[in-house]
């Protein structure tokens, strides 16, 4: 399997190359040059497999022979060894056709742990063999940062720099990043939105010479390896709901930057009979792109679901590439226009193709709170505000004549979001783990609006490289 940019200027990369990549040198992001196909007979043969077994089935289609199967299986087993539930992502079934896939049993209580636990193992595997140092540079809207940090903290061959939007994550989300004291972890709290933090990250990557010289890598959903691992949970959800493989399953997804949705789109293109629903907050660029073909930046509004407070859903570029059958010229032209004007129009034929598989649903804060309360009152089951957007969609469809088999993805644990639980009028009890976070020392650096964030990051990257070289010489 080889990998190429969505914009056509970079191609022929190996999986290891893709693992180390952020934005491609032409400004695009990576996808496989061809999408593997899973036959219906193969799909049926996977029914009854555990989630971890499915990960071991899906990943080799993208990794090929770069990691021998025995080594790959060991890496996957190690990646999921710290999860607190034996099924990793169990599906809870409630009355009224409500099926909730819990994706919050990893070390940071969010679905990002699923892919990032594997990426940490992949990094360790390749870098130990190459004796190579890597600097991971990532922005976060809330959950990616902590999961990324956990996946590489303390590693010899990796440093990680995380840029988070100060005051725009939950307190627990922030503390999961700022309480990490390992020397290879560097956290910045930026005075801006999640979209603002993406800009200096991209500027560092598109300077190809700088990125190559310092072995820069991204670990958010720009990194294709994350998209790859996430494909597996769509196969798991489908096979848990429809082991006979004889009908479609609808999957409702809390949506921000569209990384998780992209994985679902790839699963569909691989042959999985799923339809996808992007559940978004009032930061509705994804909804407007899907419904109207309007991909234009609006003002980022703070919601009760902070990890979804995004107006620049960069993985839409991948989705356009997938559904246009790899039309790199069209994708490149759209993104060039977008980057100049902060808006572009999705061609109607492409929008219609996407709409056959992907729909959308907008939820305001009041809807989030109502859904959290309804689920608690009916099932004594508490969900996080992001997950509540998928429940809101489910409740809106209850009783309709065409109500299909459906799974709602619960992307994070409610214990991370005291503010939203209290706002919904529900009781929030701090767990021992949360109390420990609140009482732990913190370490971070604040950056302000009037500072040059690109310059700050570049100097930090250069300092990390100097320290690594000095350590090696010693």
């Amino acid at each position: 399997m080889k990998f190429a940019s969505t914009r056509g200027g970079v191609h022929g990369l190996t999986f290891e190359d893709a693992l180390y990549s952020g934005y491609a040198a032409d400004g695009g992001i990576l996808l496989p040059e061809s999408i593997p196909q899973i036959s219906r007979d193969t799909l049926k043969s996977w029914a009854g497999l555990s989630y971890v077994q499915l990960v071991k089935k899906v990943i080799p289609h993208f990794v090929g022979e770069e990691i021998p199967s025995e080594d790959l299986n060991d890496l996957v087993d190690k990646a999921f060894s710290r999860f607190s539930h034996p099924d990793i992502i169990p599906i809870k079934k409630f009355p009224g056709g409500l099926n909730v896939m819990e994706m919050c049993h990893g070390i940071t209580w969010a679905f990002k742990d699923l892919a990032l636990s594997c990426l940490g193992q992949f990094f360790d595997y390749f870098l130990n063999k190459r004796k190579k140092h890597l600097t991971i540079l990532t922005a976060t809207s809330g959950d990616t940062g902590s999961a990324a940090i956990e996946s590489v903290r303390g590693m010899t061959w990796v440093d990680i720099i995380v840029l988070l939007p100060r005051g725009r994550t939950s307190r627990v989300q922030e503390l999961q990043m700022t309480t990490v004291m390992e020397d290879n972890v560097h956290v910045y709290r930026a005075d801006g939105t999640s979209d603002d933090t993406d800009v200096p990250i991209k500027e560092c990557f598109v300077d190809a010479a700088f990125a190559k010289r310092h072995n820069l890598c991204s670990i958010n959903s720009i990194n294709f390896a994350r998209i790859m691992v996430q494909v597996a949970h769509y196969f798991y959800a489908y096979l848990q709901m429809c082991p006979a493989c004889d009908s479609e399953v609808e999957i409702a997804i809390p949506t921000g930057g569209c990384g998780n949705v992209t994985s679902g789109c790839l699963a569909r293109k691989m042959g999985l009979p799923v339809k996808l629903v992007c559940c978004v907050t009032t930061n509705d660029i994804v909804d407007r792109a899907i419904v109207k073909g309007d991909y234009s930046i609006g003002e980022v509004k703070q919601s009760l679901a902070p990890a979804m407070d995004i107006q620049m859903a960069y993985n839409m570029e991948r989705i356009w590439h997938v559904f246009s059958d790899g039309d790199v010229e069209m994708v490149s032209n759209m993104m060039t226009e977008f980057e100049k004007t902060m808006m572009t129009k999705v061609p109607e034929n492409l929008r219609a193709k996407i709409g056959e598989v992907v729909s959308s649903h907008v939820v305001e804060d009041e809807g989030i709170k109502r859904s959290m309360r309804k689920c608690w009152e009916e099932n004594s089951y508490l969900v996080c505000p992001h997950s509540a957007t998928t429940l809101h969609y489910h409740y809106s469809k209850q009783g309709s004549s065409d109500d299909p088999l459906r799974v709602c993805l619960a992307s994070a644990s409610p214990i991370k979001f005291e503010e939203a639980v209290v706002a919904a009028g529900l009781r929030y009890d701090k767990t021992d783990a949360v109390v420990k976070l609140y009482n732990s020392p913190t370490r971070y650096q604040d950056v302000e609006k009037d500072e040059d964030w690109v310059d700050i990051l570049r100097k930090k990257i250069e300092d990390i490289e100097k320290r690594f070289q000095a350590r090696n010489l010693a």
Side-chain angles (χ1 to χ4, degrees):
M1 176 64 73
K2 299 295 183 182
F3 298 85
S5 168
T6 48
R7 304 190 193 182
V10 176
H11 51 83
L13 301 184
T14 65
F15 172 73
E16 185 177 357
D17 293 331
L19 178 66
Y20 297 153
S21 297
Y23 287 98
D26 64 354
I29 43 184
L30 299 181
L31 278 172
E33 291 187 351
S34 61
I35 297 176
Q37 297 299 297
I38 305 300
S39 69
R40 189 59 58 92
D41 287 343
T42 298
L43 185 61
K44 287 181 179 178
S45 75
W46 290 357
L49 294 182
S50 69
Y51 168 72
V52 173
Q53 289 170 327
L54 277 171
V55 173
K56 293 174 182 178
K57 293 289 188 182
V58 169
I59 286 179
H61 288 278
F62 299 96
V63 175
E65 298 178 356
E66 291 185 58
I67 304 177
S69 58
E70 186 175 344
D71 290 349
L72 183 59
N73 289 343
D74 288 345
L75 294 175
V76 171
D77 285 335
K78 190 174 179 182
F80 295 112
S81 63
R82 298 173 72 192
F83 280 66
S84 61
H85 195 286
D87 294 337
I88 310 298
I89 49 172
I91 295 179
K92 295 286 183 71
K93 298 184 178 182
F94 299 102
L98 175 61
N99 306 297
V100 179
M101 189 158 82
E102 295 180 340
M103 309 177 78
C104 55
H105 295 288
I107 196 70
T108 71
W109 315 320
F111 89 96
K112 309 292 176 70
D113 292 319
L114 295 167
L116 288 171
S117 62
C118 291
L119 263 66
Q121 295 303 315
F122 299 154
F123 285 132
D124 202 38
Y125 177 83
F126 284 117
L127 296 174
N128 268 314
K129 291 178 77 171
R130 310 286 184 245
K131 305 304 179 188
K132 173 182 176 180
H133 179 264
L134 197 70
T135 297
I136 295 170
L137 184 58
T138 192
T140 183
S141 57
D143 289 327
T144 291
S146 57
I149 287 168
E150 283 295 334
S151 72
V152 300
R153 64 188 293 179
M155 284 189 179
T156 302
W157 303 102
V158 179
D159 278 75
I160 182 169
I161 301 171
V162 175
L163 199 58
L164 69 91
R166 187 172 72 228
R168 290 175 177 266
T169 68
S170 76
R171 181 66 174 147
V172 170
Q173 284 176 312
E174 179 177 309
L175 288 171
Q176 285 183 322
M177 294 178 266
T178 58
T179 57
V180 178
M181 295 294 158
E182 274 80 355
D183 289 340
N184 71 323
V185 175
H186 317 275
V187 177
Y188 290 85
R189 303 191 318 166
D191 182 16
T193 68
S194 174
D195 287 344
D196 293 334
T197 62
D198 281 328
V199 175
I201 301 286
K202 185 166 186 176
E203 287 197 35
C204 288
F205 278 108
V206 296
D207 183 343
F210 180 82
K212 184 176 182 179
R213 185 165 65 252
H214 296 289
N215 295 323
L216 293 190
C217 169
S218 173
I219 206 169
N220 61 11
S221 59
I222 296 166
N223 191 311
F224 179 76
R226 259 190 64 181
I227 304 296
M228 171 191 74
V229 177
Q230 291 171 177
V231 168
H233 63 244
Y234 288 92
F235 280 88
Y236 183 77
Y238 179 83
L239 291 168
Q240 288 292 302
M241 296 304 300
C242 188
C245 303
D246 58 358
S247 64
E248 283 191 330
V249 173
E250 184 178 72
I251 301 180
I253 309 158
T255 301
C258 280
N260 202 359
V261 177
T262 299
S263 300
C265 292
L266 283 177
R268 170 74 184 217
K269 285 289 188 177
M270 291 171 73
L272 191 68
V274 290
K275 289 195 172 179
L276 311 172
V277 184
C278 297
C279 300
V280 303
T281 65
T282 48
N283 296 291
D284 63 349
I285 187 170
V286 174
D287 173 71
R288 287 185 282 109
I290 290 170
V291 175
K292 303 175 183 176
D294 169 23
Y295 190 71
S296 60
I297 291 293
E299 180 185 355
V300 177
K301 305 165 189 172
Q302 278 191 273
S303 77
L304 290 174
M308 296 160 62
D309 289 346
I310 291 170
Q311 284 282 9
M312 196 178 296
Y314 48 82
N315 276 292
M316 284 301 297
E317 180 171 350
R318 279 186 169 127
I319 293 171
W320 295 334
H321 187 280
V322 166
F323 282 98
S324 68
D325 298 321
D327 189 338
V328 294
E329 183 178 0
M330 182 194 70
V331 172
S332 182
N333 289 340
M334 290 172 66
M335 290 307 301
T336 298
E337 179 184 30
F338 176 76
E339 287 166 356
K340 286 180 179 176
T341 67
M342 293 292 100
M343 64 178 64
T344 192
K345 186 72 175 174
V346 183
E348 178 55 27
N349 62 336
L350 175 58
R351 190 203 66 78
K353 278 186 182 179
I354 295 170
E356 292 173 3
V357 177
V358 186
S359 59
S360 59
H361 181 73
V362 180
V363 188
E364 297 181 351
D365 277 356
E366 284 304 313
I368 289 173
K369 291 187 284 188
R370 283 198 308 273
S371 299
M372 293 173 72
R373 286 195 299 268
K374 181 177 175 67
C375 188
W376 176 257
E377 291 163 0
E378 293 183 353
N379 307 298
S380 297
Y381 184 75
L382 189 60
V383 297
C384 89
H386 310 80
S387 311
T389 63
T390 69
L391 269 61
H392 187 277
Y393 172 75
H394 173 77
Y395 293 140
S396 75
K397 295 296 183 180
Q398 271 185 320
S400 61
S401 57
D402 60 343
D403 204 15
L405 283 172
R406 179 183 300 119
V407 178
C408 296
L409 302 190
S411 55
S413 168
I415 66 173
K416 298 186 77 166
F417 302 100
E418 176 180 2
E419 301 89 340
V421 172
V422 171
L426 300 171
R427 177 174 171 173
Y428 178 86
D429 294 316
K430 287 189 178 74
T431 64
D432 290 344
V434 170
V435 171
K436 183 178 178 181
L437 273 179
Y438 273 81
N439 292 331
S440 296
T442 58
R443 185 182 66 185
Y444 56 85
Q445 181 177 329
D446 280 334
V447 291
E448 306 304 330
K449 275 189 183 296
D450 59 354
E451 294 185 274
D452 186 337
W453 296 0
V454 176
D455 185 60
I456 289 170
L457 291 177
R458 289 173 70 100
K459 285 178 178 175
K460 184 64 178 180
I461 291 162
E462 290 166 348
D463 178 64
I464 288 169
E465 186 69 20
K466 287 176 185 174
R467 286 193 299 105
F468 178 78
Q469 296 297 338
R471 190 164 71 237
N472 267 8
L473 289 173

